[in-house]
Amino acid sequence: MEIAAAAALGKFIGAGLACIGMGGSAMGVGNVAGNFLAGALRNPSAAAGQTATLFIGIAFAEALGIFSFLVALLLMFAV
Amino acid sequence: MANTTTEAAGAVTEATGHAAEAAGHAAQSAGMPQLDFSTFGNQIFWLAVALALIYFVLTRVALPRIGGILADRQGKITSDIAAAEELKLKAEAAEKAYNQALIDARAEANKIVAEARAEIQKDLDKATAKADAEIAAKAAESAKRIEEIRAGAAENVAVVAKDTAEAIVAALGGKADVGAVADAVASRLKG
Amino acid sequence: MATEEHSDGLTFHPMDQFKIQPLFREIEPGSCVPAEDIVHGCLKWYEPTNATLWMGLTLLAIFALFVLGTRGRAIIPSRLQSVAELGYGFVHKMVEDVAGKDGLKFFPYIFTLFCFIVFSNFLGLIPGALTTTSHIAVTAFMAVAVFLTVTLVGFVKNGAGFLGLFWVSSAPLALRPVLALIEVISYFVRPVSHSIRLAGNMMAGHAVIKVFAAFAPLVLISGIGIAVTPLSILAIVAMYALEILVAFIQAYVFTILTCVYLKDALHPHH
């Protein structure tokens, strides 16, 4: 019983810790979008052609946050 | 007041406790539905069916149709632009022709005006010449008549002078000699 | 105390909305425990489930837009037809821009994926709906299909030259083996990230909405709910708006990554 309780405790603490990863991904996405905006304001005519690249970059940065979210979910519901 | 707050806080604590319990319960009974491998075969089968149907209908019906519509529209736009271009060229040609016609008409008009002017001048000259001739003839006639009148007048002056002289002589009580009076008058008129 | 008020407490079941259930029967509890070899009550592969239902609705929505919407074939399009043309043009341009002219051969394939994802994402936003694209099984099937297609195309088009994708010839010679290893790993991670990105995004948003929704009835239980309930409802609205954005962006990202992978297969030399 004690071990089970400790396991449950660890599970939730681990899930909470995994959510820190989402913060990292948030910074990554913000970095991508912010730099895109900075570049776009310098050269607005080139911005339209690069939106696809922007979304690809955001997708890559975001995927890692989603992974940490997945880890949290796995700890909560599947472990 | 403080009592209700404590109660409320207690309720929240309980509620979260329930939540944790419920979550734990869910974890035991179901876990993540996404990781329930017993449903994978079913999902994949139906997904494959759905994707195959979508692919079939899109490639057979929808995509060729939309592609056709877009191509038609493009073709229509291109042909319309070509037609508009042609019409524009025609309009330009028509304008050019119109301007040319205007220039021709103006030249023609000028020619006609010049001809008319020349004709009128000729008529005018002719009329002037005729009028001049008539005027000359009339002037000559008038001169002749004036000469006649003048001659007649001189004769009359002689007769009147003779009569007047005879009347004066008679008034003075003399008897005028007709021959002498005539001679005196003639010499005086010549004088 | 806790046992007495059990029915009154808040219940958090954020993952229940993703449950796959047969349409015409209930799975009896305990009749499907694969770990213990009890499978007689499990879902059969051919059974129609709620996933089948929502995939079917996705299918019907796509047909309604792209087949019924374009049946006029009008030069001056109706509203529905212009939406269909917009979707066609959007994906067509994406494939042409990213994968190049020779990528257009795969346009129907990519368009099918895009339509399926975008329609099931949006249909999944209907309250009570099952979001089929939030399931790893669904997205993994599509991602693996893309991965296999792209790999096959790469080898058919370029032969062994396709392996040049992993050999970065612009890097210093000493670094190339290391880079090749990294490239190979990242190549094989592609379907994983490709599928988990979509499923994770859809799952995360819906689960968060559900968590906020679970806070909403707090006003019935305790006084603090007067503050929490309006906030949670507001949060649901905000999350829903974000989810509408995410539903489209994730479909877009899945499609454009497919195009990028296709470009790598068609033109493997950096």
Side-chain angles (χ1 to χ4, degrees):
Chain A
M1 190 59 207
E2 286 294 309
I3 292 171
L9 192 69
K11 207 159 89 169
F12 289 122
I13 291 174
L17 285 176
C19 288
I20 296 171
M22 292 186 216
S25 141
M27 292 198 289
V29 172
N31 206 3
V32 172
N35 281 329
F36 174 78
L37 195 60
L41 288 175
R42 286 224 183 98
N43 187 2
S45 57
Q50 295 305 317
T51 36
T53 326
L54 168 74
F55 279 111
I56 294 171
I58 285 181
F60 280 132
E62 191 194 24
L64 300 169
I66 293 293
F67 287 159
S68 69
F69 171 75
L70 195 72
V71 170
L73 275 183
L74 288 172
L75 285 171
M76 292 274 287
F77 297 110
V79 175
Chain B
M1 184 64 196
N3 196 17
T4 48
T5 321
T6 336
E7 258 175 39
V12 173
T13 325
E14 266 161 34
T16 36
H18 286 313
E21 219 169 82
H25 184 71
Q28 273 157 27
S29 63
M32 269 170 76
Q34 277 88 348
L35 296 180
D36 184 356
F37 292 102
S38 68
T39 66
F40 270 36
N42 183 287
Q43 286 190 68
I44 288 171
F45 168 66
W46 286 111
L47 175 68
V49 170
L51 285 180
L53 273 175
I54 294 172
Y55 184 81
F56 185 77
V57 171
L58 285 184
T59 47
R60 288 297 154 91
V61 184
L63 294 182
R65 190 187 283 174
I66 297 175
I69 291 168
L70 293 179
D72 277 1
R73 184 171 308 145
Q74 202 54 48
K76 178 119 180 69
I77 288 170
T78 319
S79 69
D80 279 7
I81 286 174
E85 200 69 30
E86 203 175 300
L87 285 176
K88 198 180 155 203
L89 285 178
K90 267 188 193 163
E92 270 169 11
E95 202 194 341
K96 222 169 166 185
Y98 167 78
N99 281 337
Q100 190 56 48
L102 208 61
I103 290 165
D104 287 357
R106 202 166 278 154
E108 186 79 4
N110 283 340
K111 211 170 91 189
I112 288 168
V113 165
E115 268 173 19
R117 190 173 286 155
E119 200 138 308
I120 287 167
Q121 194 64 47
K122 219 164 80 189
D123 286 358
L124 208 61
D125 288 352
K126 219 156 83 190
T128 311
K130 203 176 147 198
D132 282 353
E134 269 171 24
I135 286 166
K138 276 213 173 123
E141 203 176 317
S142 300
K144 215 173 94 189
R145 276 190 55 195
I146 288 167
E147 208 55 45
E148 273 170 21
I149 288 166
R150 186 178 287 160
E155 220 164 285
N156 287 347
V157 166
V159 173
V160 168
K162 214 171 18 172
D163 286 354
T164 309
E166 272 171 9
I168 290 168
V169 170
L172 290 176
K175 176 81 177 130
D177 181 10
V178 176
V181 171
D183 286 344
V185 167
S187 67
R188 219 21 168 194
L189 278 176
K190 270 175 197 162
Chain C
M1 179 96 176
T3 42
E4 277 168 30
E5 284 190 358
H6 193 85
S7 57
D8 291 339
L10 296 180
T11 47
F12 288 87
H13 291 301
M15 305 312 275
D16 278 11
Q17 58 179 320
F18 304 119
K19 258 186 197 149
I20 305 281
Q21 272 150 349
L23 280 182
F24 304 114
R25 69 181 178 99
E26 289 274 324
I27 293 183
E28 291 148 39
S31 68
C32 179
V33 188
E36 294 166 30
D37 276 343
I38 308 172
V39 291
H40 62 90
C42 279
L43 212 54
K44 304 288 186 296
W45 60 269
Y46 50 83
E47 258 180 311
T49 61
N50 50 351
T52 316
L53 172 69
W54 286 100
M55 282 176 195
L57 289 176
T58 306
L59 197 97
L60 290 181
I62 293 172
F63 292 173
L65 178 58
F66 290 103
V67 177
L68 291 184
T70 60
R71 73 184 185 286
R73 299 164 195 249
I75 291 287
I76 297 157
S78 62
R79 264 180 278 181
L80 212 55
Q81 191 188 321
S82 47
V83 172
E85 285 171 14
L86 211 67
Y88 180 97
F90 178 71
V91 181
H92 198 270
K93 188 170 177 302
M94 196 197 302
V95 175
E96 195 175 352
D97 285 356
V98 178
K101 275 250 184 276
D102 42 352
L104 281 179
K105 234 185 318 172
F106 299 92
F107 167 65
Y109 183 80
I110 292 169
F111 193 64
T112 303
L113 287 179
F114 176 77
C115 285
F116 180 79
I117 295 169
V118 87
F119 272 91
S120 41
N121 284 358
F122 275 107
L123 285 175
L125 282 173
I126 298 170
L130 177 85
T131 320
T132 48
T133 39
S134 72
H135 274 270
I136 298 284
V138 171
T139 57
F141 179 81
M142 292 191 284
V144 168
V146 167
F147 178 78
L148 291 180
T149 313
V150 160
T151 311
L152 263 175
V153 167
F155 277 114
V156 168
K157 279 244 166 193
N158 306 290
F162 182 57
L163 294 172
L165 181 66
F166 307 114
W167 197 250
V168 188
S169 48
S170 57
L173 192 60
L175 273 178
R176 282 183 207 172
V178 185
L179 282 177
L181 188 68
I182 293 172
E183 289 281 332
V184 168
I185 291 171
S186 77
Y187 188 82
F188 282 98
V189 167
R190 273 176 179 184
V192 178
S193 68
H194 203 186
S195 60
I196 287 180
R197 180 181 301 113
L198 177 58
N201 264 296
M202 299 321 294
M203 189 203 315
H206 288 243
V208 169
I209 288 179
K210 205 69 174 191
V211 169
F212 282 129
F215 274 113
L218 195 65
V219 74
L220 303 174
I221 300 165
S222 96
I224 204 170
I226 292 168
V228 172
T229 300
L231 272 179
S232 62
I233 291 171
L234 206 70
I236 294 171
V237 174
M239 276 309 294
Y240 200 91
L242 184 68
E243 277 307 285
I244 289 174
L245 193 70
V246 165
F248 178 75
I249 286 183
Q250 288 309 316
Y252 175 67
V253 163
F254 192 97
T255 319
I256 205 160
L257 283 177
T258 306
C259 295
V260 170
Y261 298 160
L262 190 62
K263 184 204 75 183
D264 279 352
L266 294 172
H267 317 283
H269 305 289
H270 291 277

